[in-house]
Amino acid sequence: MRRAFESHLQETQGQVARLEQVFESLGEKARGKHCDGIAGIIDEGKSIMEEDFDETTMDACLIAAGQRAEHYEMAAYGTLVAWAQVMGHTEAATLLQQTLDEEKAADKKLSELAEGGINQAAVDAARQEEEDEEPVGAAHGGRKASAKGGRR
Ligand SMILES: [Fe+2]
């Protein structure tokens, strides 16, 4: 999972360079702009990291947070590709499509990690924790009580 996040971080740096190419192809100068949407998604991720979850639940939740970011990016790049195409900015459309493909691949990789065992491990850990927390006999309290009653 760490590898997936780190390799996509590297990819993201390439995407910044690609965006500069997009602006260049349009004869514009690239500049940064604050994004409330992604800032909110990052804040959500940060608050998840402050939770007192077991390791596998934390992994499952971090994947979920990462996928929220990927889906936001996919929505943005998908729109940009469509707009670039309709405006006849072929080079920009091709560049933006490359980034969109990377976002989709990153999202798919996270789904594979989650569905390939991390979600199940998180459920198992939660069930184990529940069992550990229940007082002895509480899980079968009903049955035990009636068995006891029958014997006496
Ligand atoms: Fe991404």
Side-chain angles (χ1 to χ4, degrees), residues 38 41 44 48 61 63-73:
I38 211 77
I41 289 170
E44 275 186 12
I48 286 168
C61 289
I63 287 174
Q67 287 192 289
R68 287 193 190 103
E70 298 315 326
H71 281 240
Y72 189 92
E73 292 167 336

Side-chain angles (χ1 to χ4, degrees), residues 39-97:
I41 289 170
I42 290 169
D43 281 346
E44 275 186 12
K46 281 182 185 162
S47 62
I48 286 168
M49 285 190 268
E50 285 164 14
E51 294 285 345
D52 182 28
F53 291 150
D54 66 82
E55 202 179 324
T56 48
T57 301
M58 183 58 82
D59 284 352
C61 289
L62 289 177
I63 287 174
Q67 287 192 289
R68 287 193 190 103
E70 298 315 326
H71 281 240
Y72 189 92
E73 292 167 336
M74 281 156 59
Y77 281 108
T79 300
L80 289 175
V81 169
W83 285 355
Q85 280 169 347
V86 84
M87 292 168 88
H89 299 310
T90 318
E91 192 187 340
T94 304
L95 290 162
L96 293 164
Q97 181 67 52

Side-chain angles (χ1 to χ4, degrees), residues 8-9 11-12 15 66 69-71 73-74 77 99 102-104 106-107:
H8 190 54
L9 176 63
E11 225 166 34
T12 302
Q15 293 173 352
E70 298 315 326
H71 281 240
E73 292 167 336
M74 281 156 59
Y77 281 108
T99 295
E102 287 175 356
E103 304 297 8
K104 284 181 180 174
D107 177 58

